[in-house]
Amino acid sequence: METVKIRTPQSLLRMLPRLVGPVEAPSLVALPFSRGRSGMPMALDLPDRRSAAPIAQAVRRGARGADAVVLVACLEQPLGARPLPHADELGRVARRLERSGMRVLELLALAPDAWGDYSSPAGARGPLAELELLDDPAPGVPEPPSLPGVPEGRGSAAALEVAAWLGELLDGDVAAARDDPIAALELAVSLADRLDVGPGVLGVDPAKAAALAIALVVSPAQRDLAIELAIDGTAAAERTLDAIEGDAATEAAANRFLGVGPAPDADRLRDRLRRWTAIAEATPLELRAPLLVIVGFLHFFLGRGRTAGRCAELAMAIDPTLTMAPLLRDIVDAKGAPDWVLGTGEEVGAHPATRE
């Protein structure tokens, strides 16, 4: 594993995309350190007067074992020549962290036009373009692959096809899918990247497969199955299916939803997130809540608690009776990220799992 030494605020900001991945502004990125080694980054809301204390608490909770932290305020609006915004609120967060024993190494601003340093009374800053002129602080270290955000979109060609199939599904089609839900869910996922293409040479229509998956995951048990297929594969899902049919949920399966156990295959999880997001975006909005729960849990498993929480909130707004959405929100609030994310420290410049 390559160790990268970052000596200036500019170098750290230059390295930020490879440490954190894409960050949605406005947000506060917290990058914890333990004995000089970086941990998993977090993305939180920018603080206001009332939220400084809970944000500092969230940083401490999510950075277990860390002794220092870098804070970067990612801003929506250009800085121009005005004073650095949110200085008082960010200062409150920093002071609370310092009092708790966590040193704040840097407190920086990153805007569309410039970067800034809150530690300088004059608000030291520089144009964003200067970061591109710096030597790469970690040559050869790739940026993490991009991941989708909260599912959005209505009225695409794929969405219209899926909506048409949802209105035409026969009881026999849905019953057959329920008889073999693993096969039905896996087919929909395997064809999710072809939703805009239409039926293939074998006549299998991705929109119909997606419609059947949407009909299945209305059931809480089938929704759990879809999530377990994404995180642990068919063997684990078959064990859970046997337990469901025997009316005995397994403790191991329940713990996985809480982020307990060995780390899943990250590449598989990212791929499933992209595919379930495509299905969710092709789902009519009024039926999208169960899909948002699936996508939200996959974001949580990847350490993207902020996005997972937004998926849960949108699902609750669409369907207030969907009990698994507030459960996801509660898990995110309580843990922030799964054990396999929180328990992994990485060298600066390594390719960490994404943590919001």
Side-chain angles (χ1 to χ4, degrees):
M1 181 180 295
E2 182 179 1
T3 300
V4 177
K5 293 182 179 179
I6 296 179
R7 303 184 186 279
T8 66
Q10 295 98 314
S11 293
L12 189 147
L13 293 173
R14 176 88 158 81
M15 189 70 192
L16 198 66
R18 276 169 285 182
L19 294 171
V20 181
V23 178
E24 181 182 351
S27 63
L28 175 64
V29 171
L31 181 62
F33 289 83
S34 178
R35 296 182 296 279
R37 295 178 55 169
S38 73
M40 301 309 297
M42 293 166 273
L44 309 103
D45 292 330
L46 283 174
D48 55 29
R49 183 178 297 274
R50 295 181 178 180
S51 64
I55 285 176
Q57 182 180 10
V59 172
R60 291 194 303 269
R61 185 177 65 238
R64 293 183 296 185
D67 51 41
V69 67
V70 168
L71 300 176
V72 181
C74 298
L75 308 173
E76 276 188 305
Q77 301 300 320
L79 286 178
R82 63 192 176 101
L84 297 181
H86 306 287
D88 291 341
E89 296 86 351
L90 290 165
R92 292 190 186 95
V93 173
R95 287 191 293 273
R96 286 180 177 275
L97 292 173
E98 294 274 4
R99 288 198 295 268
S100 72
M102 183 179 290
R103 288 188 304 135
V104 178
L105 301 175
E106 299 283 356
L107 180 53
L108 306 172
L110 186 62
D113 64 329
W115 67 272
D117 188 342
Y118 287 96
S119 67
S120 171
R125 70 186 71 201
L128 208 61
E130 82 175 19
L131 301 182
E132 299 300 323
L133 301 177
L134 298 175
D135 290 336
D136 190 343
V141 177
E143 293 190 19
S146 62
L147 292 172
V150 177
E152 298 176 346
R154 294 184 67 179
S156 67
L160 295 174
E161 288 295 321
V162 170
W165 270 113
L166 284 167
E168 296 176 11
L169 288 178
L170 301 176
D171 291 343
D173 293 328
V174 178
R178 288 189 184 126
D179 286 341
D180 194 355
I182 290 177
L185 292 168
E186 290 290 86
L187 178 63
V189 168
S190 71
L191 296 175
D193 59 350
R194 296 182 54 82
L195 278 168
D196 290 322
V197 177
V201 293
L202 299 179
V204 179
D205 192 334
K208 181 179 181 180
L212 284 168
I214 294 164
L216 284 181
V217 300
V218 170
S219 160
Q222 308 295 358
R223 192 160 55 244
D224 290 357
L225 199 65
I227 295 169
E228 190 156 17
L229 277 166
I231 188 172
D232 285 327
T234 55
E238 286 168 355
R239 289 192 295 271
T240 296
L241 185 59
D242 291 340
I244 291 170
E245 292 174 347
D247 199 25
T250 66
E251 182 178 355
N255 281 339
R256 292 302 269 167
F257 284 74
L258 298 174
V260 176
D265 183 306
D267 289 336
R268 172 190 174 86
L269 203 50
R270 292 187 187 102
D271 179 68
R272 290 304 176 101
L273 173 59
R274 295 185 186 98
R275 291 172 182 273
W276 274 111
T277 297
I279 295 172
E281 290 181 336
T283 302
L285 184 60
E286 64 274 13
L287 301 177
R288 197 177 293 174
L291 284 299
L292 286 164
V293 168
I294 294 172
V295 171
F297 267 100
L298 301 190
H299 279 293
F300 170 68
F301 295 149
L302 285 165
R304 308 181 84 219
R306 191 169 186 245
T307 305
R310 289 184 175 178
C311 287
E313 290 161 2
L314 184 54
M316 287 186 282
I318 295 171
D319 184 358
T321 68
L322 191 66
T323 57
M324 205 167 179
L327 172 63
L328 171 59
R329 177 75 263 184
D330 289 346
I331 292 172
V332 170
D333 288 342
K335 297 196 66 170
D339 290 354
W340 54 80
V341 171
L342 292 174
T344 302
E346 299 285 351
E347 300 274 358
V348 175
H351 186 176
T354 304
R355 169 78 198 278
E356 284 194 348

